[in-house]
Structures are given as structure tokens and as C-alpha cells.
């Protein structure tokens, strides 16, 4: 084919691979933990043991790698297994920069286990390039970790600007791009060295498995160590989960596009609402970072947003209690819309204001989602004794 395929076509056919042995359009689920050695003691299949090599991963890794424009992609047992592999591949004493606003569980691991193993982790405001530049220690900083849009405030970090600052200092740039998905942003093309996804979220999209992945722009010493971390530490995905992930990937473009369109409508509807103090969504023109997001996200601003209840924490918790269509649950990127009082999840040290509700917009009818939030906001205001104005 003369022209590279559109991402929609890559996703819909999962690259169009056909099983050689059976001509099946969907792949079999390979479950073997081990592979036959040749009589002359070689392993010509290239497979030895399923902790390191699993044919069940090949197609899903290839689809994600093609969508990200990477050199290679590896699946992991979870988003956290993928993210922590990036840090475990560093050396004690290495300095790393990470954002103050980021996925809370990784921030927590960084400030406990990673620092315990001798990494020097510094949390900074990644949205400000001057702060990043000042925090970089040339020759000492090995890695800059960013997340954009970042949980749970959806702060936007300029990937290209941060990549060039990191590279000038001799550091790698890794991006948690879970919320953007490879359809909206391709961080490697903007200069990032590594992209991580919680494939649990949009890539799979059906809230029925835990998985993660890493894609690299180039093969290098750090990537070789990442490969060893997966094979040796063993944060490997099950074969059935890899197969489910591939099935989910085939509709990635439809799901992400629907969620983006709905999120934009919902954000605009509740922006300035009498019972909403603030809507945090990169697609709103007044949102800090909107201009950068418009540059580095194509086709939408994602399906994640937060709203702040006008009458404080009790009102926020009451809104979540009153929704019916929006389900009260953590996680994101599924077909169903979720609502969550984020400060309750993150606990001490959270950047989430106490009145903040995190919304993962699914693919239900937009008007149904708006109506359910409207009734929940009104019922919550009545419950906390605040009449709508
Ligand atoms: C969920 C999530 C993770 C962690 O992924 P798991 O699969 O739950 O381990 C990391 N980063 C972001 C942005 C996430 O939403």
C-alpha cells in the first residue's frame, strides 16, 4: 500500500494479521509456558519460556507499537508494572523528576519504594518549563517522567518542550499517555523516549482486565534493562488478558472518539453551572494548558474531566451518591461512565481539592449523562441544604 494506513484501519483489523496455521482472522490464545528446544540444543523458534516470550503478546504489542510509531512495545501485567519497570531499570543514585500532579499510586510508589532503593526522586510542577529546567541536573538526572493530561486535575505538560529540556541535560523523557491514548497524542513523534499506558483503561476499554505497556522510540541500554525487568521480575500479562486486550483495541478509535465528543459537550454544559464551582477539562478554551493541548492532541481532548461542587466536600460526595447512570467507581476509559470523589481515594498529600469529582466519560448517550448529573447536583444541593441559585 502506497500510503500508511489510518490509525482507525490499523485498530479495526488489529493490523490485519491472519493465523498462518489455520487462516483464522482472530488469533488463537497461546497458553504454553514453555517451548520445545531443537535437538541440536538451539531455540530456533526464538521462544524459550513464557515469562520472557509469549506469542499471545505479539499482535497486541504490534498494534500499539504501530499506533505509537515506536521501535518496540512490551506488554506488562498492569500499568503499574510497566511504569515501575522504567524506574527499576535505573541505577541507585540516579536523579529523576516526576510531576506533583500525577497518577497517585505511582507517585506513592516513587516516594516510598523507589526512594528506598536509592533513586533520588524530585516532584515538581511539570507544566512550567522554567521549573523543569531549573530542576534538571545535567549528567545526574537520568529520567523525566510526565503525565499529560494528568490525574486528577488534567494539567497539560508540553511534551516537545520538556523532551528538549530533558535531552539537553542528558535525561530520557517518559510519558504516561494513558488519558490521551495513541489516537490523540503520539509522544514519541514529539521527542519523548518512552510512552507508557495503563492498557487497563482506554486501550482495552471494557473494564475487564488489568494490563500495561511501554513503547520505546529507540533501542538503547535503558530499554534493554526494561526488557530484563519484565523477564526477570516477571510482571508479565496472562495470555487470556492479552487476547482480550487485542479484542478491545479493535474498537479503540470508536470508543475514544465518542468519549471525547461527549466529554467536550458535558464540560461545556456544566462550565458556569450554578452548582458547579469549576470544570477542569483541557478542551475548555479557558483551561490553563488548553493551547498546548490543542497543539499536541488531535481529534479531541480526551474523555476525562473533573468538576468541583459549589458547596464543598459534602456536596461533592452527595453528588456521587445521587448519580444513577454514572457509576461510583475508580478507574477510567471503559464504555461505562464513572464518577469518583478523588480526595477520598488519594488520601493525604493529594492535589485534588476536597470538592472535586473525577469523571470518566463513557460511550452512553450524552444527554442521558447530562440529565443524570443535573438531577444528582440538584439532589445533592438539597441534601446539604443549599438551594440552587
Ligand atoms: C490506571 C492508571 C495507571 C496504573 O495502571 P494499572 O493498570 O491500574 O496498574 C497509571 N497511570 C494512569 C494515568 C492510570 O490511569
Amino acid at each position: 500500500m502506497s500510503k500508511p494506513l489510518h490509525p482507525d484501519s490499523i485498530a479495526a483489523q488489529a493490523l490485519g494479521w491472519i493465523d498462518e496455521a489455520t487462516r483464522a482472522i482472530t488469533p488463537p490464545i497461546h497458553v504454553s509456558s514453555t517451548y520445545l528446544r531443537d535437538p541440536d540444543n538451539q531455540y530456533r523458534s526464538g521462544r524459550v519460556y513464557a515469562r520472557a516470550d509469549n506469542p499471545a503478546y505479539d499482535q497486541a504489542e504490534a498494534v500499539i507499537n504501530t499506533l505509537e510509531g515506536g521501535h518496540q512495545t512490551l506488554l506488562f501485567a498492569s500499568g503499574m508494572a510497566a511504569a515501575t519497570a522504567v524506574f527499576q531499570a535505573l541505577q541507585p543514585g540516579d536523579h529523576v523528576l516526576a510531576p506533583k500532579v500525577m497518577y497517585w499510586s505511582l507517585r506513592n510508589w516513587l516516594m516510598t519504594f523507589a526512594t528506598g532503593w536509592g533513586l533520588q526522586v524530585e516532584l515538581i510542577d511539570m507544566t512550567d518549563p522554567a521549573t523543569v529546567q531549573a530542576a534538571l541536573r545535567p549528567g545526574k538526572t537520568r529520567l523525566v517522567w510526565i503525565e499529560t493530561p494528568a490525574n486528577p486535575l488534567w494539567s497539560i505538560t508540553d511534551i516537545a518542550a520538556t523532551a528538549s529540556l530533558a535531552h539537553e541535560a542528558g535525561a530520557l523523557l517518559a510519558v504516561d499517555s494513558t488519558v490521551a491514548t495513541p489516537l490523540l497524542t503520539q509522544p514519541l513523534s514529539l521527542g519523548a523516549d518512552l510512552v507508557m499506558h495503563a492498557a487497563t483503561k482506554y486501550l482495552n476499554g471494557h473494564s475487564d482486565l488489568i494490563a500495561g505497556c511501554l513503547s520505546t522510540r529507540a533501542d538503547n541500554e535503558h530499554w534493554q534493562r526494561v526488557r530484563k525487568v519484565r523477564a526477570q521480575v516477571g510482571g508479565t500479562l496472562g495470555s487470556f488478558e492479552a487476547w482480550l486486550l487485542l479484542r478491545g483495541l479493535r474498537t479503540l478509535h470508536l470508543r475514544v472518539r465518542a468519549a471525547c465528543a461527549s466529554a467536550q459537550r458535558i464540560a461545556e454544559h456544566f462550565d458556569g453551572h450554578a452548582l458547579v464551582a469549576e470544570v477542569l477539562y483541557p478542551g475548555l478554551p479557558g483551561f490553563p494548558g488548553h493551547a498546548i493541548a490543542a497543539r499536541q492532541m488531535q481529534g479531541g481532548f480526551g474523555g476525562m474531566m473533573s468538576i468541583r461542587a459549589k458547596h464543598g466536600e459534602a456536596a461533592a460526595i452527595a453528588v456521587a451518591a445521587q448519580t444513577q447512570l454514572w457509576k461510583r467507581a475508580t478507574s477510567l476509559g471503559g464504555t461505562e461512565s464513572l464518577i469518583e470523589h478523588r480526595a477520598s481515594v488519594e488520601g493525604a498529600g493529594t492535589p485534588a481539592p476536597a470538592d472535586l469529582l473525577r469523571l470518566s466519560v463513557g460511550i452512553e448517550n450524552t444527554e442521558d449523562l447530562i440529565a443524570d448529573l443535573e438531577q444528582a447536583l440538584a439532589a445533592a444541593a438539597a441534601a446539604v441544604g443549599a438551594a440552587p441559585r
Side-chain angles (χ1 to χ4, degrees), residues 341-356:
H341 182 248
R342 197 61 196 167
S344 297
V345 176
E346 300 196 6
T350 180
D355 57 10
L356 181 140

PDB file of all heavy atoms in Angstrom, residues 341-356:
ATOM      1  N   HIS A 341     -15.163  10.568  44.007  1.00  0.00           N
ATOM      2  CA  HIS A 341     -14.645  11.625  44.883  1.00  0.00           C
ATOM      3  C   HIS A 341     -13.169  11.330  45.089  1.00  0.00           C
ATOM      4  O   HIS A 341     -12.797  10.430  45.837  1.00  0.00           O
ATOM      5  CB  HIS A 341     -15.394  11.654  46.224  1.00  0.00           C
ATOM      6  CG  HIS A 341     -14.914  12.745  47.122  1.00  0.00           C
ATOM      7  ND1 HIS A 341     -14.237  12.497  48.295  1.00  0.00           N
ATOM      8  CD2 HIS A 341     -14.965  14.098  46.981  1.00  0.00           C
ATOM      9  CE1 HIS A 341     -13.912  13.648  48.847  1.00  0.00           C
ATOM     10  NE2 HIS A 341     -14.351  14.632  48.084  1.00  0.00           N
ATOM     11  N   ARG A 342     -12.320  12.062  44.380  1.00  0.00           N
ATOM     12  CA  ARG A 342     -10.922  11.654  44.237  1.00  0.00           C
ATOM     13  C   ARG A 342     -10.114  11.794  45.530  1.00  0.00           C
ATOM     14  O   ARG A 342      -9.239  10.978  45.806  1.00  0.00           O
ATOM     15  CB  ARG A 342     -10.287  12.469  43.100  1.00  0.00           C
ATOM     16  CG  ARG A 342      -9.012  11.903  42.565  1.00  0.00           C
ATOM     17  CD  ARG A 342      -9.161  10.524  41.962  1.00  0.00           C
ATOM     18  NE  ARG A 342      -7.850   9.911  41.820  1.00  0.00           N
ATOM     19  CZ  ARG A 342      -7.627   8.631  41.560  1.00  0.00           C
ATOM     20  NH1 ARG A 342      -8.637   7.809  41.389  1.00  0.00           N
ATOM     21  NH2 ARG A 342      -6.413   8.162  41.470  1.00  0.00           N
ATOM     22  N   ALA A 343     -10.396  12.838  46.326  1.00  0.00           N
ATOM     23  CA  ALA A 343      -9.608  13.020  47.554  1.00  0.00           C
ATOM     24  C   ALA A 343      -9.785  11.834  48.499  1.00  0.00           C
ATOM     25  O   ALA A 343      -8.856  11.458  49.213  1.00  0.00           O
ATOM     26  CB  ALA A 343      -9.992  14.332  48.241  1.00  0.00           C
ATOM     27  N   SER A 344     -10.972  11.200  48.481  1.00  0.00           N
ATOM     28  CA  SER A 344     -11.199  10.029  49.336  1.00  0.00           C
ATOM     29  C   SER A 344     -10.289   8.877  48.931  1.00  0.00           C
ATOM     30  O   SER A 344      -9.906   8.058  49.761  1.00  0.00           O
ATOM     31  CB  SER A 344     -12.649   9.538  49.203  1.00  0.00           C
ATOM     32  OG  SER A 344     -13.545  10.510  49.638  1.00  0.00           O
ATOM     33  N   VAL A 345      -9.974   8.784  47.639  1.00  0.00           N
ATOM     34  CA  VAL A 345      -9.131   7.691  47.140  1.00  0.00           C
ATOM     35  C   VAL A 345      -7.666   7.968  47.431  1.00  0.00           C
ATOM     36  O   VAL A 345      -6.914   7.090  47.840  1.00  0.00           O
ATOM     37  CB  VAL A 345      -9.315   7.539  45.611  1.00  0.00           C
ATOM     38  CG1 VAL A 345      -8.376   6.483  45.045  1.00  0.00           C
ATOM     39  CG2 VAL A 345     -10.750   7.200  45.281  1.00  0.00           C
ATOM     40  N   GLU A 346      -7.258   9.226  47.197  1.00  0.00           N
ATOM     41  CA  GLU A 346      -5.823   9.529  47.240  1.00  0.00           C
ATOM     42  C   GLU A 346      -5.315   9.782  48.652  1.00  0.00           C
ATOM     43  O   GLU A 346      -4.139   9.596  48.919  1.00  0.00           O
ATOM     44  CB  GLU A 346      -5.517  10.726  46.322  1.00  0.00           C
ATOM     45  CG  GLU A 346      -5.908  10.439  44.874  1.00  0.00           C
ATOM     46  CD  GLU A 346      -5.292  11.401  43.865  1.00  0.00           C
ATOM     47  OE1 GLU A 346      -4.465  12.242  44.261  1.00  0.00           O
ATOM     48  OE2 GLU A 346      -5.639  11.296  42.680  1.00  0.00           O
ATOM     49  N   GLY A 347      -6.188  10.236  49.531  1.00  0.00           N
ATOM     50  CA  GLY A 347      -5.768  10.463  50.909  1.00  0.00           C
ATOM     51  C   GLY A 347      -4.805  11.621  51.055  1.00  0.00           C
ATOM     52  O   GLY A 347      -4.754  12.528  50.219  1.00  0.00           O
ATOM     53  N   ALA A 348      -4.003  11.573  52.125  1.00  0.00           N
ATOM     54  CA  ALA A 348      -3.105  12.683  52.455  1.00  0.00           C
ATOM     55  C   ALA A 348      -2.145  12.957  51.302  1.00  0.00           C
ATOM     56  O   ALA A 348      -1.670  12.043  50.653  1.00  0.00           O
ATOM     57  CB  ALA A 348      -2.324  12.355  53.723  1.00  0.00           C
ATOM     58  N   GLY A 349      -1.883  14.236  51.072  1.00  0.00           N
ATOM     59  CA  GLY A 349      -0.923  14.611  50.034  1.00  0.00           C
ATOM     60  C   GLY A 349      -1.537  14.737  48.652  1.00  0.00           C
ATOM     61  O   GLY A 349      -0.847  15.035  47.687  1.00  0.00           O
ATOM     62  N   THR A 350      -2.837  14.517  48.529  1.00  0.00           N
ATOM     63  CA  THR A 350      -3.466  14.629  47.211  1.00  0.00           C
ATOM     64  C   THR A 350      -3.523  16.082  46.752  1.00  0.00           C
ATOM     65  O   THR A 350      -3.771  16.975  47.564  1.00  0.00           O
ATOM     66  CB  THR A 350      -4.899  14.047  47.228  1.00  0.00           C
ATOM     67  OG1 THR A 350      -5.459  14.193  45.911  1.00  0.00           O
ATOM     68  CG2 THR A 350      -5.801  14.747  48.221  1.00  0.00           C
ATOM     69  N   PRO A 351      -3.287  16.322  45.460  1.00  0.00           N
ATOM     70  CA  PRO A 351      -3.508  17.680  44.944  1.00  0.00           C
ATOM     71  C   PRO A 351      -4.987  17.930  44.626  1.00  0.00           C
ATOM     72  O   PRO A 351      -5.346  19.030  44.232  1.00  0.00           O
ATOM     73  CB  PRO A 351      -2.671  17.709  43.662  1.00  0.00           C
ATOM     74  CG  PRO A 351      -2.627  16.287  43.194  1.00  0.00           C
ATOM     75  CD  PRO A 351      -2.740  15.412  44.429  1.00  0.00           C
ATOM     76  N   ALA A 352      -5.833  16.899  44.817  1.00  0.00           N
ATOM     77  CA  ALA A 352      -7.254  17.052  44.480  1.00  0.00           C
ATOM     78  C   ALA A 352      -7.960  17.857  45.557  1.00  0.00           C
ATOM     79  O   ALA A 352      -7.951  17.480  46.729  1.00  0.00           O
ATOM     80  CB  ALA A 352      -7.919  15.685  44.344  1.00  0.00           C
ATOM     81  N   PRO A 353      -8.616  18.973  45.195  1.00  0.00           N
ATOM     82  CA  PRO A 353      -9.422  19.696  46.185  1.00  0.00           C
ATOM     83  C   PRO A 353     -10.517  18.776  46.734  1.00  0.00           C
ATOM     84  O   PRO A 353     -10.959  17.852  46.047  1.00  0.00           O
ATOM     85  CB  PRO A 353     -10.034  20.849  45.389  1.00  0.00           C
ATOM     86  CG  PRO A 353      -9.272  20.925  44.106  1.00  0.00           C
ATOM     87  CD  PRO A 353      -8.693  19.570  43.866  1.00  0.00           C
ATOM     88  N   ALA A 354     -10.946  19.044  47.970  1.00  0.00           N
ATOM     89  CA  ALA A 354     -11.923  18.175  48.643  1.00  0.00           C
ATOM     90  C   ALA A 354     -13.273  18.151  47.938  1.00  0.00           C
ATOM     91  O   ALA A 354     -14.048  17.219  48.106  1.00  0.00           O
ATOM     92  CB  ALA A 354     -12.097  18.630  50.083  1.00  0.00           C
ATOM     93  N   ASP A 355     -13.543  19.195  47.118  1.00  0.00           N
ATOM     94  CA  ASP A 355     -14.851  19.278  46.444  1.00  0.00           C
ATOM     95  C   ASP A 355     -14.800  18.707  45.022  1.00  0.00           C
ATOM     96  O   ASP A 355     -15.703  18.921  44.234  1.00  0.00           O
ATOM     97  CB  ASP A 355     -15.319  20.740  46.406  1.00  0.00           C
ATOM     98  CG  ASP A 355     -14.301  21.652  45.726  1.00  0.00           C
ATOM     99  OD1 ASP A 355     -13.330  21.147  45.129  1.00  0.00           O
ATOM    100  OD2 ASP A 355     -14.478  22.889  45.796  1.00  0.00           O
ATOM    101  N   LEU A 356     -13.712  17.980  44.683  1.00  0.00           N
ATOM    102  CA  LEU A 356     -13.519  17.530  43.298  1.00  0.00           C
ATOM    103  C   LEU A 356     -14.079  16.141  43.043  1.00  0.00           C
ATOM    104  O   LEU A 356     -13.834  15.204  43.799  1.00  0.00           O
ATOM    105  CB  LEU A 356     -12.021  17.573  42.950  1.00  0.00           C
ATOM    106  CG  LEU A 356     -11.628  17.149  41.528  1.00  0.00           C
ATOM    107  CD1 LEU A 356     -10.523  18.052  40.984  1.00  0.00           C
ATOM    108  CD2 LEU A 356     -11.169  15.699  41.462  1.00  0.00           C
TER     109      LEU A 356
END
